[in-house]
Amino acid sequence: MKFFIDTANIAEIREGCNMGMVDGVTTNPSLISKEGRKFEDLVKEICDIVDGPVSAEVIRTDTDGMIQEARDLAGLHENIVVKIPMTIDGMKAVRNLTEEGIKTNVTLVFSPLQALMAAKAGATYVSPFVGRLDDISHEGMLLVEQIVEIYSNYAFDTEVIVASVRNPLHILESALMGADIATIPFNVLTKLASHPLTDKGLKAFLDDWKKTQS
Ligand code: E4P
């Protein structure tokens, strides 16, 4: 299972890489705006740090505009994956970009049929947003389960990125379901490593060790 980090913050990305837990990065316009830096400069810096796919999202919503923006983004660095919203115009753009060899990540996916369309359009990745579904009392992980099953039924190459992750259980369930990738906010990534019994056990070992030194 691949772990992507869901942030545009350079310090978080560097720390995640030092932990050996970053196979790629996803950004979106909201994450980029938090950093207060020029979009292209920030994305290029991320690509220089991470040896893996880096998703950067288009802003235009019409097919031609998305295609033009995608070409510009893809020209910034070979690691760039262009994030395209799940709309009819978006699917037309994905079809064209796939034919041009530009990698895409279809974002804002909330239903299995949207994911099926994204795969049929040739998307490299699809991003179901589980946390936002949970927020409105829908079962986010059920969506992932259905997408994984549909893609397996028809042997689609499109990889599933579990997105809008809020807690470690989302990662556990993604792994059990066989999702290809989870894109994880930094605060959730650190939670994956922690367990109160680990802390308690380590403290007991160190306290006992001190006794041998006196
Ligand atoms: C995914 O690629 C998105 O950047 C992200 O996971 C959205 O998460 P949010 O619902 O916490 O904003």
Side-chain angles (χ1 to χ4, degrees):
M1 183 183 186
K2 285 172 273 187
F3 281 4
F4 288 1
I5 190 163
D6 195 28
T7 182
N9 181 276
I10 295 292
E12 290 182 349
I13 292 168
R14 282 195 193 283
E15 183 57 14
C17 288
N18 290 339
M19 290 162 64
M21 292 296 152
V22 174
D23 301 307
V25 179
T26 52
T27 69
N28 62 40
S30 306
L31 292 172
I32 294 280
S33 79
K34 277 196 211 165
E35 301 307 312
R37 287 186 49 189
K38 189 166 174 260
F39 178 39
E40 289 80 1
D41 294 347
L42 183 53
V43 164
K44 270 199 272 186
E45 188 173 342
I46 295 171
C47 289
D48 288 338
I49 297 169
V50 178
D51 185 20
V54 174
S55 287
E57 189 159 340
V58 295
I59 303 304
R60 293 275 295 268
T61 54
D62 58 302
T63 301
D64 289 344
M66 282 190 256
I67 290 172
Q68 192 49 57
E69 244 186 279
R71 287 178 184 147
D72 292 344
L73 285 171
L76 290 177
H77 197 283
E78 61 184 1
N79 290 357
I80 293 283
V81 172
V82 182
K83 249 184 171 180
I84 303 281
M86 177 59 228
T87 58
I88 297 290
D89 271 54
M91 292 309 93
K92 292 181 198 164
V94 168
R95 167 65 56 214
N96 280 275
L97 293 167
T98 301
E99 280 167 12
E100 286 183 29
I102 293 176
K103 291 184 177 162
T104 55
N105 172 0
V106 173
T107 188
L108 291 167
V109 166
F110 294 96
S111 87
L113 294 175
Q114 288 181 320
L116 177 56
M117 289 185 84
K120 284 179 67 62
T124 319
Y125 302 99
V126 66
S127 290
F129 275 37
V130 297
R132 294 192 194 187
L133 279 170
D134 291 349
D135 289 346
I136 58 160
S137 306
H138 285 247
E139 211 183 314
M141 290 311 299
L142 178 62
L143 170 61
V144 176
E145 190 179 344
Q146 290 175 332
I147 296 171
V148 168
E149 185 173 341
I150 290 168
Y151 284 9
S152 161
N153 286 347
Y154 297 100
F156 282 117
D157 291 331
T158 305
E159 290 190 70
V160 178
I161 305 179
V162 179
S164 187
V165 162
R166 302 270 198 265
N167 57 60
L169 267 185
H170 282 147
I171 309 304
L172 173 61
E173 289 178 36
S174 300
L176 290 170
M177 285 172 190
D180 304 282
I181 303 152
T183 188
I184 312 174
F186 184 75
N187 71 317
V188 177
L189 189 61
T190 54
K191 280 183 193 157
L192 299 186
S194 74
H195 196 288
L197 290 180
T198 306
D199 299 341
K200 189 178 168 197
L202 182 58
K203 184 175 180 313
F205 284 155
L206 295 178
D207 288 348
D208 288 341
W209 181 254
K210 267 187 215 150
K211 291 176 202 157
T212 70
Q213 304 301 299
S214 51

